[in-house]
Amino acid sequence: MPLQGLAFYLLAAVTVVSALLVVTARNPVHSVLWLILSFFSAAGLFVLLGAEFLAMLLVVVYVGAVAVLFLFVVMMLDVDFVKLREGFAKYFPLAAIVAAVLLAEMIVITVTVAGGGAAADAVGPAVATADRTNIEAIGRVLYTDYVYFFQAAGIVLLIAMIGAITLTLRHKPGIKRQDVGRQVGRDAKTAMELKSIETGAGLNPEDLR
């Protein structure tokens, strides 16, 4: 077996095993660490395919930002892991059925493509050549043939970010917040106002109205 084939099977095996450990590990911190290992292995697969730019993006963006963010969120949030395990056991049969269906579809697609199926004569996207780098080839395909899908993905991520902020935003009582509308609407006479405050008592937000 050539060295490139050995590296492919090794990286693929590490990627699959680490991905399984992400969802089966009992400790969420260990899950994030297995996720980082999975990202590194997938980046190695991209290097073997000649997509060095995608491998660099996977390491820099996902390992350097997303995985670290997951780790901080997991360590900072007070998560009830007992309740999470109960939910995992409850939905495991349904998840197993969905995973089996997806696995069967992937096997069918792989066998069909390997045997020269309907997409055997399809023209693939432009690849890197001596006159065109890998980054330029990806940019041409991404911003020409798939520009609408690229913009749609950005809109979906924006909506998800706004939804996450809306769902997690909590207004706790007793916290002073800035009211921009009241600040802008104040006239020149009330722009500055002196308040008589007892020493050590603090300022009640109701006194500012």
Side-chain angles (χ1 to χ4, degrees):
M1 180 182 295
L3 183 60
Q4 185 175 0
L6 180 62
F8 169 79
Y9 285 109
L10 179 61
L11 290 174
V14 173
T15 303
V16 172
V17 172
S18 58
L20 291 175
L21 291 174
V22 169
V23 297
T24 57
R26 294 182 177 273
N27 192 327
V29 178
H30 295 169
S31 296
V32 176
L33 296 178
W34 286 117
L35 181 64
I36 294 175
L37 177 60
S38 178
F39 285 154
F40 271 112
S41 302
L45 293 175
F46 278 126
V47 172
L48 293 178
L49 292 174
E52 297 85 1
F53 180 70
L54 292 179
M56 182 194 69
L57 285 182
L58 188 62
V59 172
V60 173
V61 176
Y62 284 91
V63 177
V66 178
V68 175
L69 178 62
F70 286 169
L71 187 60
F72 274 105
V73 170
V74 167
M75 295 177 65
M76 291 177 63
L77 291 181
D78 187 12
V79 181
D80 189 358
F81 298 110
V82 176
K83 186 176 181 181
L84 289 179
R85 294 191 186 97
E86 292 176 355
F88 176 80
K90 179 180 178 181
Y91 295 104
F92 179 77
L94 178 60
I97 295 174
V98 174
V101 172
L102 292 177
L103 180 61
E105 291 178 354
M106 294 176 63
I107 293 175
V108 171
I109 293 174
T110 303
V111 173
T112 304
V113 173
D121 299 331
V123 179
V127 296
T129 59
D131 300 330
R132 181 169 53 189
T133 62
N134 185 263
I135 301 176
E136 184 178 355
I138 295 175
R140 286 182 178 274
V141 174
L142 184 62
Y143 294 108
T144 54
D145 299 337
Y146 301 98
V147 61
Y148 295 110
F149 298 99
F150 180 76
Q151 296 295 334
I155 294 175
V156 170
L157 293 176
L158 176 62
I159 295 175
M161 181 180 66
I162 296 175
I165 295 174
T166 304
L167 292 175
T168 56
L169 182 61
R170 298 290 184 270
H171 294 286
K172 298 181 179 179
I175 297 179
K176 300 177 183 178
R177 295 186 178 274
Q178 183 180 12
D179 192 344
V180 180
R182 290 183 58 203
Q183 292 176 346
V184 175
R186 299 181 70 173
D187 53 17
K189 295 181 179 179
T190 60
M192 295 184 63
E193 185 178 357
L194 296 178
K195 293 286 186 179
S196 178
I197 303 173
E198 184 180 353
T199 304
L203 182 62
N204 190 343
E206 297 295 334
D207 297 336
L208 299 177
R209 298 181 179 180

